[in-house]
Amino acid sequence: MIKIENLKKNFGETCACDIPSFTINDGDILGLVGNNGAGKTTLFRLLLDLLKADEGSVLYQFPATDSATTPDDFPSGINPAESEAWKQNVGAYVDEGFLIDFLTPEEYFAFLGKISGISQQETDERLKMFERFANGEVFGQKKLIRNLSAGNKMKVGIISALFRHPQTVILDEPFNFLDPTSQLVLKHLLQDYAQQTGATILISSHNLQHTVDISTRIALLEHGQIIRDLPNAEGSASAELQEYFGAE
């Protein structure tokens, strides 16, 4: 669960985030939608402690698992601005700055495994679940990440967010740069991951159809504010979103 309280961030006179109260429940697949400048990426950066909030707080509350961080360790939740304990339970990809681009994908995941206490054998086993998504274009190419196409860099970033089996996943515009086949595979990958792990997944996207297809709930942002919190059982939010964005 993620609890947001009185969260505010301004850039000069521009309001990038103003959320009085919002809760993201365990197991939600939350889609964030909004026009450019609505505040989607700013919200993600606040959730990941990449930006300092002007006011308010974010609290992560993780369900009981066999991970090192348990509810008993932080009974009121973990504020990412005050502790780094949340990081082992959160996987995220926001932009290329998350990658170590002078490594090959194989070297990068070996490094992620090593710092996470995951053996090379287990690393190789975990990467097998992403073979269809990688589609023979990421691994075995003898290319540095910096020399991959934009779409394949995106694949490396998404795989890295899921690789450690986190309880919360945050992906900013994950469908960008992917070809249509990879976009469809990604939708199934995220839905399967959520179903198998019970993870909470947050995605932002300008692609309304993909967002509606995958999300169980949709938050519509405008000028840094969540103006609508829409349930999305069987795509029920589609009509309201199309009306808001002016689609015919």
Side-chain angles (χ1 to χ4, degrees):
M1 179 185 295
I2 305 174
K3 298 183 71 174
I4 297 170
E5 295 292 339
N6 193 36
L7 191 63
K8 295 184 180 181
K9 181 65 181 179
N10 295 321
F11 296 106
E13 296 183 357
T14 301
C15 174
C17 182
D18 183 5
I19 302 176
S21 182
F22 191 70
T23 298
I24 303 162
N25 300 308
D26 292 338
D28 278 351
I29 303 179
L30 178 70
L32 297 183
V33 299
N35 289 316
N36 289 337
K40 302 184 297 296
T41 298
T42 296
L43 177 55
F44 279 174
R45 290 186 173 276
L46 290 167
L47 293 177
L48 296 169
D49 194 36
L50 298 174
L51 282 175
K52 182 179 180 181
D54 296 332
E55 296 181 32
S57 65
V58 172
L59 288 176
Y60 287 96
Q61 296 179 329
F62 298 107
T65 68
D66 58 358
S67 70
T69 302
T70 69
D72 291 338
D73 296 326
F74 299 89
S76 62
I78 306 170
N79 184 336
E82 298 175 353
S83 170
E84 295 190 353
W86 59 280
K87 290 184 177 180
Q88 60 194 305
N89 294 318
V90 177
Y93 185 66
V94 173
D95 57 39
E96 291 182 19
F98 279 53
L99 305 176
I100 304 176
D101 68 357
F102 57 81
L103 300 178
T104 65
E106 289 88 346
E107 292 170 337
Y108 178 55
F109 285 104
F111 171 75
L112 289 184
K114 185 174 182 179
I115 64 174
S116 303
I118 301 170
S119 70
Q120 186 60 53
Q121 181 179 358
E122 177 64 16
T123 293
D124 294 340
E125 189 65 29
R126 290 189 182 204
L127 292 177
K128 288 180 181 179
M129 70 175 287
F130 304 108
E131 286 180 351
R132 187 180 176 208
F133 182 52
N135 194 33
E137 300 172 335
V138 173
F139 301 109
Q141 303 303 299
K142 298 182 179 179
K143 287 184 178 181
L144 302 180
I145 292 173
R146 67 172 58 146
N147 295 327
L148 296 176
S149 68
N152 287 331
K153 288 179 184 176
M154 179 64 75
K155 289 181 179 182
V156 172
I158 292 168
I159 294 170
S160 71
L162 298 171
F163 169 73
R164 293 182 298 115
H165 299 172
Q167 296 170 346
T168 298
V169 178
I170 297 175
L171 300 172
D172 194 19
E173 296 289 352
F175 298 105
N176 276 5
F177 309 118
L178 299 183
D179 58 53
T181 297
S182 296
Q183 291 177 352
L184 292 174
V185 173
L186 176 59
K187 287 197 291 186
H188 290 297
L189 176 64
L190 294 177
Q191 288 173 318
D192 289 346
Y193 182 82
Q195 184 175 27
Q196 293 168 9
T197 66
T200 303
I201 298 178
L202 287 69
I203 64 167
S204 72
S205 180
H206 285 113
N207 189 308
L208 289 182
Q209 189 57 58
H210 287 332
T211 305
V212 168
D213 286 347
I214 194 174
S215 301
T216 60
R217 180 181 174 194
I218 294 177
L220 176 58
L221 278 74
E222 184 179 283
H223 303 305
Q225 298 180 325
I226 297 176
I227 61 171
R228 299 181 196 175
D229 179 9
L230 305 174
N232 190 45
E234 299 183 357
S236 60
S238 180
E240 189 165 347
L241 290 174
Q242 289 182 21
E243 180 181 359
Y244 174 83
F245 288 106
E248 301 202 353

